Amino acid sequence: MVGAKIKFFRTMRGLSIEELARKVNLSKAVISRIENGERQLKTEEEIALFAQTLEIPEEFIATAQPFFVNINNSHSNSVGFVSIPKEVLEQMNAKDELIRHLIEKLK
């Protein structure tokens, strides 16, 4: 679940795997493994760094409450789902059009 959230917000922020890897000082392979669920974030420092880089609350990375967003990945034409608590969406910086749209749909 953590990997799906990271991939969702990386994509939403317009970051490539390479860009995220550089920002969090990990290899592209490690980012790919995290996004595919093959590796977890190992420390609180890693969680904080990913949260800060992706502009999401730290608690969100470890939280899995039911709220599903359909993700259409234009690179592979695949669809995935990520769980986002309503409270977390409301706390996020609403500058992103998608987040504003989701918050309005939840009201």
Side-chain angles (χ1 to χ4, degrees):
M1 184 61 71
V2 169
K5 292 176 189 179
I6 289 171
K7 184 174 184 175
F8 174 78
F9 284 100
R10 174 184 60 77
T11 303
M12 200 176 90
R13 301 281 182 239
L15 296 172
S16 67
I17 288 177
E18 294 82 6
E19 290 168 320
L20 179 59
R22 188 176 61 251
K23 288 177 181 275
V24 297
N25 199 30
L26 294 171
S27 71
K28 294 183 296 186
V30 170
I31 299 298
S32 182
R33 289 180 56 222
I34 290 169
E35 289 186 354
N36 291 323
E38 298 167 9
R39 179 193 183 276
Q40 296 298 313
L41 298 180
K42 295 182 178 180
T43 65
E44 289 185 25
E45 290 79 17
E46 271 191 342
I47 291 170
L49 182 57
F50 273 84
Q52 180 182 11
T53 301
L54 297 171
E55 301 176 40
I56 57 177
E58 288 179 37
E59 310 82 56
F60 171 65
I61 291 179
T63 303
Q65 295 178 6
F67 176 82
F68 295 96
V69 178
N70 186 336
I71 307 165
N72 184 357
N73 181 344
S74 61
H75 299 293
S76 67
N77 293 323
S78 65
V79 176
F81 295 91
V82 64
S83 175
I84 306 172
K86 179 181 176 184
E87 297 79 24
V88 170
L89 282 174
E90 291 170 345
Q91 293 172 13
M92 289 181 182
N93 184 342
K95 69 179 179 180
D96 297 309
E97 187 62 34
L98 176 60
I99 296 298
R100 283 197 303 272
H101 175 74
L102 292 172
I103 291 169
E104 287 303 314
K105 290 286 186 184
L106 291 171
K107 289 184 178 178

